[in-house]
Amino acid sequence: MITSDSGAIFRTLNGILNVYKPSGVSVKRVMNAIVTNICKDLNRLDVREPRSRLLFEQTNNNTYNVQVIPDPADHIKVVGERHQIADFRCQPAVALGHHTSGVLLLGLNSGTRDAFKIRMNRPVRVYRVTGRLGKATETHFANSRIIARSSYDHVSRGRISGLLSSIQASHQRKMFELCGVDIQSETAYNLATMGTIRPATSDLPVIYGITLVELARPNFTVEIHALNEKEDYLATLIHEIGLDLRTVAHCTAIRCIRCGYFSSEGSLLRGNWTLPYVVDNIQANTKIIQDHPSIIHQKSSALVNTESSNQTEESIKEGS
């Protein structure tokens, strides 16, 4: 920072903030911690002095002396600190679940508009999900009661990789089926060249890619490129992978390593949720948005009702 004026710095706190959310901490607690730290750091800088007021004093000659003094009603000890939590607006672009750690995008002040646009564009997110073979739990997470046990000696890297390839192919095929086109047709090719195929609603989870990253039995880690996913869906996916492998499994960790063009390398760790790092992070993310305007204004294909579009085209032809 090149200035110690807290007011000038406060006016620059507008944009997207990329922070690393720890597991077991809610998004609301993360936002409260960041805003609280920013307020503390701003109040340590040069803050606005109390407003001035005129003081009239009558003299013995029936005249008045006029003095300009600081207004006691505007003193910090009366009104509180100059920068308070209520002065900030903070909204998540895409929220993460309680058990999920990793990249969390937050819109600060006027950056909440960009956060809303990013949320509406539904960027593809990349996860590293770790599962444990041999045990099944009620909620498919490690902190739940164990309901089943099974052996996993027959599970190999080849079997897991083959199963994940099948899951990825089925999801890709489902995307084109919802579009009403054959995956082997030219229409499907033209649709794919338009960009990432997105469902028309945010209720349908879609997996664009899933690969095995590490296998150290009983633990295994997969990398998932997904859209419209929730942490419960990812945990259920690990459970279903275990069943397809003729065993059982539950999820032990979910880590988001990328959200669109924002990666975990540029995320602020918990110890860096302070004003200097926040200012630098907002500036870096602003440059990313300028270099990739599709983050805010995305042009891509979406799964639409092809029957209604065909009827519209036919009506236009008949009218012409």
Side-chain angles (χ1 to χ4, degrees):
M1 294 181 296
I2 60 176
T3 180
S4 60
D5 185 2
S6 63
I9 297 176
F10 174 78
R11 289 189 289 273
T12 64
L13 296 175
N14 300 282
I16 296 297
L17 187 61
N18 180 4
V19 300
Y20 193 93
K21 173 190 169 300
S23 176
V25 180
S26 65
V27 174
K28 185 176 181 180
R29 285 185 57 188
V30 172
M31 293 190 297
N32 288 339
I34 293 175
V35 173
T36 300
N37 291 343
I38 292 175
C39 289
K40 290 180 180 179
D41 292 341
L42 285 174
N43 290 322
R44 294 191 186 103
L45 301 176
D46 298 335
V47 297
R48 178 180 61 82
E49 296 293 334
R51 297 186 181 93
S52 301
R53 59 167 293 187
L54 297 178
L55 177 63
F56 295 89
E57 292 183 349
Q58 187 176 8
T59 64
N60 296 330
N61 299 329
N62 291 330
T63 59
Y64 291 90
N65 291 331
V66 180
Q67 297 181 3
V68 179
I69 63 172
D71 188 357
D74 193 39
H75 197 274
I76 292 178
K77 294 182 178 180
V78 177
V79 299
E81 299 288 353
R82 292 297 182 216
H83 300 279
Q84 301 182 7
I85 296 178
D87 298 333
F88 291 85
R89 290 174 293 145
C90 188
Q91 291 292 333
V94 184
L96 297 178
H98 183 77
H99 299 90
T100 306
S101 63
V103 177
L104 174 63
L105 301 181
L106 301 175
L108 196 62
N109 293 333
S110 63
T112 54
R113 293 193 293 268
D114 290 340
F116 175 77
K117 293 177 181 178
I118 292 175
R119 183 165 61 251
M120 292 296 101
N121 284 334
R122 291 174 290 166
V124 176
R125 292 193 285 184
V126 183
Y127 293 88
R128 291 284 177 90
V129 184
T130 302
R132 183 179 178 88
L133 299 168
K135 297 179 181 179
T137 61
E138 284 185 335
T139 61
H140 311 318
F141 286 103
N143 61 348
S144 180
R145 186 171 66 91
I146 297 175
I147 59 175
R149 298 177 186 270
S150 178
S151 61
Y152 51 84
D153 295 337
H154 60 281
V155 177
S156 63
R157 175 178 289 271
R159 294 191 63 175
I160 297 179
S161 299
L163 175 61
L164 299 183
S165 298
S166 176
I167 293 174
Q168 177 177 325
S170 64
H171 275 260
Q172 292 177 348
R173 184 168 55 253
K174 180 176 65 175
M175 287 186 292
F176 288 99
E177 288 177 353
L178 292 174
C179 284
V181 298
D182 184 5
I183 193 173
Q184 301 294 335
S185 63
E186 183 179 357
T187 304
Y189 172 79
N190 295 332
L191 189 63
T193 57
M194 294 172 59
T196 304
I197 302 178
R198 286 171 166 77
T201 64
S202 59
D203 301 329
L204 180 63
V206 176
I207 294 177
Y208 293 98
I210 178 170
T211 56
L212 178 64
V213 176
E214 182 182 3
L215 174 61
R217 293 184 304 183
N219 299 313
F220 67 98
T221 302
V222 296
E223 182 173 298
I224 301 175
H225 298 243
L227 184 71
N228 297 337
E229 78 296 331
K230 304 292 183 182
E231 67 173 19
D232 292 337
Y233 174 79
L234 298 176
T236 304
L237 180 63
I238 294 297
H239 172 73
E240 293 176 350
I241 289 174
L243 295 178
D244 291 336
L245 293 172
R246 307 299 188 205
T247 181
V248 292
H250 67 275
C251 180
T252 58
I254 302 176
R255 185 165 67 97
C256 179
I257 62 175
R258 178 175 290 275
C259 180
Y261 291 97
F262 302 93
S263 64
S264 57
E265 287 79 6
S267 298
L268 291 181
L269 299 178
R270 195 168 191 170
N272 296 333
W273 294 351
T274 55
L275 182 60
Y277 290 101
V278 167
V279 172
D280 294 340
N281 189 264
I282 290 177
Q283 293 176 351
N285 294 331
T286 301
K287 186 177 185 303
I288 292 176
I289 294 176
Q290 292 174 351
D291 295 339
H292 307 280
S294 60
I295 298 174
I296 305 298
H297 306 286
Q298 188 145 4
K299 295 181 180 180
S300 64
S301 53
L303 304 187
V304 296
N305 189 344
T306 55
E307 294 181 359
S308 60
S309 62
N310 291 336
Q311 292 176 358
T312 303
E313 293 179 358
E314 293 177 357
S315 61
I316 293 175
K317 292 179 180 179
E318 293 176 356
S320 60

